[in-house]
């Protein structure tokens, strides 16, 4: 968005696919730029939470009003997916997923990370890295397995052979496809949006990419909502018992 002040020695937009800044910890390599921006996003959320709760008023205003709106939105999201009886314990998990992904996506679109020089690669939204989205998807998988075991114990495995054991391979495959679809959907959309904006910034003047950037902000918010909604749906699926809804009706 600041490409009109860019110079050959001071570029603000470029395309670097597959280049990463690594930290070496023993024999382990980690993506330094992903950790840096992730910590920035976490710090931003923590600071916003502290500012919103340090002086709570009966009639909210300012940051408290904003954070209460965000909490109400996340609570309604969890309630719609998990139901009135089950949603409360899962509000922190679903809310954390939604807020982290939402702020991460917008940080890549709004903050000129190119101003910070790295030895290799560049800072960007953590969610445009497949490692981040896979990690988030695996957390969702652990969450719905935990939900199923906490509710049914070993009886949770009965769903793999219901209504017939012939469906066992399909049921197992479904557990693998859920995190895959979650991770690749989020990763693909965020990476594609940043690549399109990067190409337009390089090829055309500032005002042509602006509508695409605004559309990217909208789709980034939608991707955070879709991820959190599917996480709640998967947890609800693990919690509900076979024939439970029929008995309630």
């Amino acid at each position: 968005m600041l490409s009109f002040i860019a110079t050959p020695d001071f570029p603000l937009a470029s395309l670097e696919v597959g280049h990463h800044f690594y930290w070496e910890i023993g024999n382990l390599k980690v993506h330094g730029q992903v950790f840096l921006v992730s910590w920035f996003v976490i710090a931003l959320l923590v600071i916003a939470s502290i500012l919103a709760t340090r002086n709570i008023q009966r009639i909210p205003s300012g940051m408290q009003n904003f954070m209460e709106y965000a909490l109400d939105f996340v609570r309604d999201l969890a309630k719609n997916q998990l139901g009135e009886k089950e949603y409360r314990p899962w509000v922190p998990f679903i809310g954390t997923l939604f807020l982290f992904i939402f702020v991460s996506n917008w940080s890549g679109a709004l903050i000129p990370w190119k101003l910070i020089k790295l030895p290799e690669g560049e800072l960007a939204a953590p969610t445009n890295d497949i490692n981040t989205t896979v990690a988030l998807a695996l957390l969702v998988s652990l969450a719905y397995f935990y939900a199923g075991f906490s509710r049914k114990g070993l009886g949770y495995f009965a769903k793999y052979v219901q209504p017939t054991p012939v469906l066992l391979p399909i049921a197992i495959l479904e557990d693998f496809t859920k995190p895959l679809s979650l991770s690749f959907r989020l990763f693909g959309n965020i990476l594609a949006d940043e690549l399109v904006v990067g190409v337009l910034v390089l090829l055309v003047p500032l005002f042509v990419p602006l509508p695409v950037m605004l559309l990217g902000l909208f789709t980034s918010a939608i991707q955070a909502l879709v991820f959190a909604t599917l996480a709640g749906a998967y947890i609800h699926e693990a919690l509900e018992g076979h024939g439970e809804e029929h008995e309630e009706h």
Side-chain angles (χ1 to χ4, degrees):
M1 296 178 69
L2 301 176
S3 61
F4 63 95
I5 63 172
T7 65
D9 297 327
F10 190 62
L12 296 182
S14 65
L15 295 177
E16 294 182 357
V17 180
H19 294 275
H20 299 286
F21 171 57
Y22 290 102
W23 288 340
E24 294 189 7
I25 304 175
N27 295 325
L28 181 65
K29 284 187 176 183
V30 296
H31 289 189
Q33 74 267 34
V34 173
F35 276 90
L36 288 173
V37 183
S38 296
W39 291 339
F40 171 81
V41 171
I42 293 171
L44 197 63
L45 291 172
V46 170
I47 291 171
S49 300
I50 293 174
L51 292 177
T53 57
R54 67 176 179 174
N55 186 24
I56 298 178
Q57 302 294 327
R58 184 178 296 273
I59 301 177
S61 61
M63 183 60 70
Q64 180 186 344
N65 189 48
F66 177 77
M67 292 302 288
E68 286 191 7
Y69 172 79
L71 178 60
D72 288 339
F73 178 83
V74 171
R75 185 186 292 118
D76 290 340
L77 174 64
K79 185 186 297 185
N80 290 336
Q81 296 303 316
L82 296 169
E84 183 71 32
K85 296 181 180 179
E86 305 287 354
Y87 82 95
R88 291 184 184 275
W90 295 99
V91 170
F93 177 73
I94 295 176
T96 301
L97 283 176
F98 173 77
L99 291 176
F100 177 78
I101 295 172
F102 179 84
V103 177
S104 294
N105 293 350
W106 275 38
S107 71
L110 295 177
I111 300 177
W113 292 113
K114 186 64 179 178
L115 294 174
I116 302 176
K117 296 291 186 179
L118 295 178
E120 189 174 8
E122 64 180 49
L123 297 178
T127 44
N128 86 342
D129 189 285
I130 188 64
N131 298 281
T132 303
T133 59
V134 167
L136 294 172
L138 289 177
L139 286 176
V140 174
S141 295
L142 291 176
Y144 70 71
F145 278 122
Y146 168 78
F149 282 120
S150 63
R151 171 62 60 85
K152 308 171 190 176
L154 293 178
Y156 175 76
F157 289 108
K159 78 181 189 73
Y160 288 94
V161 293
Q162 291 177 348
T164 171
V166 176
L167 298 179
L168 176 61
I170 298 177
I172 295 175
L173 182 62
E174 183 182 5
D175 286 334
F176 285 97
T177 57
K178 284 178 180 177
L180 282 176
S181 63
L182 279 176
S183 57
F184 279 100
R185 180 187 295 108
L186 179 59
F187 163 70
N189 280 279
I190 301 305
L191 179 62
D193 175 65
E194 294 195 355
L195 289 176
V196 169
V197 172
V199 169
L200 291 176
V201 169
L202 287 172
L203 298 179
V204 295
L206 172 67
F207 297 103
V208 174
L210 280 178
V212 181
M213 291 179 178
L214 294 176
L215 180 61
L217 291 176
F218 175 74
T219 56
S220 296
I222 293 298
Q223 289 305 313
L225 177 61
V226 168
F227 195 100
T229 300
L230 290 176
Y234 294 156
I235 293 170
H236 174 68
E237 181 183 345
L239 284 172
E240 70 176 4
H242 181 65
E244 181 178 333
E245 293 185 354
H246 177 72
E247 293 175 4
E248 289 179 356
H249 289 305

